[in-house]
């Protein structure tokens, strides 16, 4: 018996080592597989998605002709064009690969967030993010939502890891890509004040201050950022589709299976006994999703809408990794030790809500 125990020990250690290697490399390989899928889609693409993509592409390849013009133009989104300044020198394929890098990276970040949240199968978040219909369709496209998706997921990961300085720097940079992300900085500012994190609080302002200084120097406007926010984002110029428009569009944007699991996560929380414990653990990803989602619902509301929003579906790509993470949480609920009765109630409730969205 002793000899058998000794002989089985190396086999056990080998099995554990194989599991470690698998758990380390499988998520990365799965994410890279997503990247290959996106590249195949880009090869078979027949052209640009719409005129916005054409303009963004043109600005990428001509960035060095007049960099300050693009950096200080709110529609051009200076941070976005800076990211693509070098790939733009190498042509269309380099730009497409950069887009695919950000999309693939977003999938991997969804995995890292799910792993941090201790979901049983965190790699599922890669699939539930990467195979969302809108993510696939825009994965290689020239839209600011693609890098915004990546940096939003990175922001969530750094925050839950307690790296608040990095979180502040990322949040401030996001303002240069999508100016409505200022709302995220405001939320973070409140959280940093509550946590007495004064250095991250100050760093939230670095990009708006830098843009304002450059705009003051070039155009003589000491309130340049405010002026451009009003002109570029707060003027009422687009048709409004109603507050619940994005609610009804979510199954088309993210896919029915993903949204079903997403709703299940919410239903599971409602049925859980330790609601506050779950809030303390998972609140930040949910808060960023709700802030961004409800903000755009408000933008396109017919009764109290404000800002420039036509209810464009691609805006939701920014929070696709968070949708994937929360959907992974819904799957985690189904395989947890929760009572079967709770699982059935949550499952049927999610199904009812999903059909209500689609009706």
């Amino acid at each position: 018996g002793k000899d058998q125990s000794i002989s089985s020990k190396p086999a056990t250690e080998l099995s554990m080592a194989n599991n470690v290697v698998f758990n380390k490399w499988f998520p990365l390989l799965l994410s890279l597989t997503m990247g290959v899928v996106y590249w195949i889609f880009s090869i078979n693409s027949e052209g640009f998605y719409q005129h916005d993509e054409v303009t963004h592409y043109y600005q990428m390849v001509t960035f060095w002709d007049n960099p300050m013009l693009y950096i200080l133009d709110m529609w051009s989104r200076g941070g976005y064009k800076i990211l693509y300044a070098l790939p733009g020198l190498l042509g269309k394929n380099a730009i497409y690969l950069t887009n695919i890098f950000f999309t693939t990276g977003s999938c991997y970040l969804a995995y890292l967030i799910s792993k941090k949240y201790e979901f049983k199968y965190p790699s599922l978040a890669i699939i539930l993010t990467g195979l969302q219909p809108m993510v696939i369709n825009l994965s290689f496209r020239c839209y600011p939502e693609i890098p915004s998706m990546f940096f939003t997921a990175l922001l969530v990961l750094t925050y839950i890891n307690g790296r608040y300085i990095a979180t502040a720097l990322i949040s401030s940079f996001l303002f240069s890509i999508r100016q409505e992300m200022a709302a995220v900085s405001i939320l973070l500012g409140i959280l940093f004040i509550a946590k007495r994190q004064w250095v991250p609080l100050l760093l939230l302002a670095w990009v708006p201050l830098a843009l304002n200084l450059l705009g003051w120097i070039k155009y003589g406007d000491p309130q340049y950022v405010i002026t451009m926010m009003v002109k570029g984002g707060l003027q009422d110029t687009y048709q409004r589709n109603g507050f619940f428009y994005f609610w009804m569009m979510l199954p088309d944007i993210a896919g029915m299976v993903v949204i079903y699991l997403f709703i299940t996560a919410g239903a599971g929380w409602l049925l859980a006994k330790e609601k506050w414990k779950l809030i303390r653990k998972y609140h930040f990803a949910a808060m960023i999703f709700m802030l961004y989602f409800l903000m755009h619902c408000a933008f396109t509301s017919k009764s109290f809408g404000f800002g420039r929003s036509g209810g464009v579906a691609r805006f939701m790509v920014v929070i696709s990794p968070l949708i994937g993470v929360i959907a992974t949480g819904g799957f985690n609920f189904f395989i947890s030790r929760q009572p079967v009765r709770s699982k059935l109630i949550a499952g049927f409730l999610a199904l009812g809500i999903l059909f209500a969205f689609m009706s």
Side-chain angles (χ1 to χ4, degrees):
K2 183 177 179 180
D3 292 341
Q4 184 178 3
S5 175
I6 293 174
S7 63
S8 65
K9 186 175 181 180
T12 303
E13 291 178 348
L14 180 62
S15 176
M16 292 176 63
N18 289 335
N19 286 336
V20 170
V21 172
F22 178 82
N23 291 333
K24 179 180 179 180
W25 290 105
F26 176 73
L28 183 60
L29 292 174
L30 184 59
S31 299
L32 291 175
T33 301
M34 294 292 178
V36 173
V37 171
Y38 303 147
W39 178 248
I40 293 171
F41 268 84
S42 72
I43 293 173
N44 291 291
S45 171
E46 296 182 355
F48 289 104
Y49 193 69
Q50 59 170 200
H51 61 278
D52 279 6
E53 187 189 5
V54 177
T55 306
H56 283 305
Y57 175 80
Y58 175 79
Q59 291 182 348
M60 290 171 186
V61 298
T62 61
F63 176 84
W64 297 105
D65 295 341
N66 194 346
M68 197 58 67
L69 174 65
Y70 296 144
I71 290 173
L72 291 175
D73 178 48
M74 283 295 178
W75 188 91
S76 299
R77 298 170 173 86
Y80 174 43
K81 294 308 185 296
I82 289 173
L83 289 172
Y84 285 78
L86 292 179
L89 293 173
L90 301 176
K92 181 181 70 173
N93 287 335
I95 291 174
Y96 281 2
L97 284 171
T98 305
N99 292 326
I100 290 169
F101 166 79
F102 282 125
T103 309
T104 304
S106 300
C107 297
Y108 190 72
L109 288 170
Y111 155 75
L112 292 177
I113 295 170
S114 297
K115 184 179 180 182
K116 183 67 178 181
Y117 281 156
E118 299 178 335
F119 293 149
K120 190 169 183 181
Y121 298 107
S123 294
L124 181 62
I126 298 172
I127 297 172
L128 296 180
T129 298
L131 294 185
Q132 293 180 29
M134 191 61 67
V135 171
I136 295 174
N137 287 329
L138 299 185
S139 58
F140 59 93
R141 299 289 185 182
C142 298
Y143 287 113
E145 288 77 19
I146 299 303
S148 296
M149 169 175 60
F150 175 86
F151 285 107
T152 299
L154 186 61
L155 178 148
V156 172
L157 180 64
T158 55
Y159 183 89
I160 62 179
N161 280 327
R163 299 171 60 188
Y164 300 134
I165 290 178
T167 303
L169 292 173
I170 294 166
S171 182
S172 190
F173 179 70
L174 271 168
F175 175 79
S176 69
I177 304 179
R178 294 203 61 86
Q179 64 192 45
E180 76 271 26
M181 299 304 281
V184 174
S185 289
I186 293 172
L187 172 63
L188 284 171
I190 296 171
L191 294 175
F192 289 153
I193 290 172
K195 293 176 177 290
R196 299 181 181 275
Q197 295 288 330
W198 309 121
V199 173
L201 178 66
L202 294 174
L203 289 175
L204 287 171
W206 78 276
V207 167
L209 288 177
L211 289 175
N212 199 75
L213 179 60
L214 291 174
W216 189 3
I217 294 171
K218 184 171 179 62
Y219 298 111
D221 184 355
Q223 296 181 326
Y224 177 77
V225 165
I226 295 175
T227 300
M228 292 309 296
M229 285 185 70
V230 172
K231 289 182 178 180
L234 296 180
Q235 288 182 338
D236 193 356
T237 55
Y238 288 102
Q239 176 184 350
R240 307 199 179 281
N241 296 310
F243 181 83
F244 290 101
Y245 174 75
F246 282 121
W247 301 66
M248 295 181 291
M249 286 293 294
L250 276 178
D252 295 314
I253 294 169
M256 289 184 61
V257 173
V258 174
I259 295 304
Y260 173 73
L261 292 173
F262 176 90
I263 300 170
T264 299
W269 174 78
L270 289 174
L271 295 170
K273 295 180 179 179
E274 300 179 335
K275 292 183 177 62
W276 289 110
K277 182 179 179 180
L278 294 174
I279 288 176
R280 284 194 298 271
K281 186 172 183 178
Y282 303 118
H283 70 280
F284 191 69
M287 284 174 63
I288 298 299
F289 166 82
M290 290 176 62
L291 175 63
Y292 185 90
F293 179 75
L294 293 176
M295 177 170 55
H296 277 277
C297 289
F299 285 161
T300 196
S301 171
K302 292 181 179 180
S303 56
F304 59 88
F306 63 96
R308 180 175 293 191
S309 175
V312 181
R314 73 169 188 268
F315 292 167
M316 292 297 107
V317 170
V318 174
I319 50 175
S320 289
L322 303 185
I323 294 175
V325 168
I326 297 171
T328 304
F331 180 82
N332 199 70
F333 171 78
F334 277 134
I335 63 172
S336 67
R337 295 181 179 179
Q338 295 290 329
V340 175
R341 180 172 175 271
S342 296
K343 294 178 182 179
L344 289 173
I345 293 174
F348 281 111
L349 180 60
L351 195 63
I353 294 173
L354 179 63
F355 281 119
F357 281 177
M358 297 175 62
S359 62

